[in-house]
Amino acid sequence: MSSSTPTPQRVCFQLQVHPERLEEYTRRHAAVWPEMLQAIADAGRRNYSLFLRPDGLLIGYYETDDDAAAQRALAADPRTAAWEAEMAPFFVALDGARPDQGAPQLTEVFHLEDQLAALDAEPGPTPPA
């Protein structure tokens, strides 16, 4: 990666889906509205995945160059409002927030590529003279 390329931010978040709505939530995400998919991409999010546990724990992950800008873009994009309004009732304890803005983010504590890059950057042993 060149020095002019920003390091992507890796963002992970969690939400809790109501257990009685897991099947419907999964079905809705099998074919997300095309305009919502485009809004996510236009906001600068990529490599976006959702993982759902049988008890309703939802973990999301995406990469972006500027998460604050992506959040603002999605909050202001009229394409996202209808999707977020339809998805909000699926979640436990959002306290009225849209799912995109109300999801608590998790702190990254390990990233393999970062640690490997740090190893590669360390000077190696000096060979004997």
Side-chain angles (χ1 to χ4, degrees), residues 40-107:
I40 292 168
D42 290 349
R45 289 184 179 174
R46 58 193 177 277
N47 199 21
Y48 197 149
S49 295
L50 296 173
F51 302 88
L52 184 60
R53 211 166 62 180
D55 66 357
L57 178 67
L58 179 79
I59 300 294
Y61 172 85
Y62 60 87
E63 296 169 355
T64 184
D65 293 330
D66 183 344
D67 192 43
Q71 289 276 2
R72 286 190 303 274
L74 287 168
D77 192 321
R79 297 174 294 181
T80 66
W83 177 264
E84 296 271 346
E86 286 215 11
M87 291 299 107
F90 284 89
F91 300 106
V92 175
L94 274 179
D95 297 326
R98 286 172 48 177
D100 187 60
Q101 287 83 38
Q105 290 189 1
L106 304 177
T107 302

Side-chain angles (χ1 to χ4, degrees), residues 93-118:
L94 274 179
D95 297 326
R98 286 172 48 177
D100 187 60
Q101 287 83 38
Q105 290 189 1
L106 304 177
T107 302
E108 182 177 33
V109 296
F110 171 79
H111 186 247
L112 177 63
E113 285 77 11
D114 285 351
Q115 290 199 21
L116 288 172

